[in-house]
Amino acid sequence: MVQFRFLGILMAVAIRTKKPLDLHLAPWVWKQLCSMPLGEPDLEEVDLLTFRTLQGILHLENSGITEENFHVMIPLDSFVAHSADGRLVPVVPGGQNISLNFSNRTEYVERALQYRLHEMDSQVASVREGMSAIIPVPLLSLLTAQQLEQLVCGLPEVSVETLKKLVRYRDIAESHQLVAWFWQSLEEFTNEERVLFLRFVSGRSRLPSNPADMTQKFQIIKVDRVSLG
């Protein structure tokens, strides 16, 4: 939990300093940080197999599964489910001792869904606690999950048009043919290659959500060819 709290501090510092972090978190984590409710589509987005398994248990129409053959066709026999790290855990206290059957399958699916959607609540709370040391966390509820992710992580795409706003020309005109070739070359780069270019000229791999917040510009300087001989 201390590490999650420290992550929250780093995320808040990224927002304050406008220096994004290259983080890859599940979409529902950003929603939880913004105090947004979670639902079935969130589980489907991050764990399609579990979602389909639960839906298969719940909706038995035209499946040929009846009360008589339920235990033969469904591989679970109690109120347990696989957690995010692959462990088989009870979805309610003592769930390993509660028999799963045809009549209580709806309750099981509801409990399993709620367990999976909220198994990271304490970790998310620790992240929010860490963020609260730097920024007013209640204001996060005014943001969407995507807006918060962009504030913390910046823009995933490094476009040439954005780079053109972050350059300063020295001893060379913007209209010079060499400059045109330079931008043409960057246009032909993949996004991953442009990220490497950004890291080379600025030391960062992400642009802030508002490029105007990046006060440090890189320079294009004309250098006369030096002959060695």
Side-chain angles (χ1 to χ4, degrees), residues 12 20 69 83 101-102 134 152 176 193 208 217:
N69 65 9
S83 63
N101 53 54
F102 187 88
I134 308 293
V152 174
H176 198 285
E193 291 170 331
K217 295 188 175 183

Side-chain angles (χ1 to χ4, degrees), residues 30-41:
W30 299 107
K31 292 183 70 172
Q32 284 186 293
L33 289 172
C34 293
S35 301
M36 300 174 66
L38 302 178
E40 290 184 5

Side-chain angles (χ1 to χ4, degrees), residues 67-162:
E67 187 169 1
E68 287 71 27
N69 65 9
F70 182 83
H71 284 296
V72 177
M73 303 299 293
I74 302 298
L76 293 171
D77 57 6
S78 60
F79 273 47
V80 297
H82 285 97
S83 63
D85 61 1
R87 294 178 297 112
L88 201 61
V89 296
V91 297
V92 294
Q96 69 275 13
N97 300 318
I98 302 176
S99 177
L100 170 63
N101 53 54
F102 187 88
S103 60
N104 66 9
R105 70 184 192 282
T106 299
E107 180 186 359
Y108 166 78
V109 170
E110 292 174 352
R111 296 299 185 95
L113 178 64
Q114 288 305 306
Y115 170 80
R116 283 304 312 273
L117 290 178
H118 296 285
E119 65 178 319
M120 299 296 181
D121 282 1
S122 56
Q123 288 87 345
V124 171
S126 291
V127 173
R128 283 175 60 92
E129 181 185 349
M131 296 179 76
S132 68
I134 308 293
I135 61 175
V137 167
L139 294 182
L140 296 182
S141 61
L142 301 177
L143 302 174
T144 65
Q146 184 178 17
Q147 288 171 333
L148 177 59
E149 183 177 6
Q150 285 192 353
L151 283 175
V152 174
C153 302
L155 301 173
E157 295 289 327
V158 178
S159 70
V160 172
E161 287 305 311
T162 302

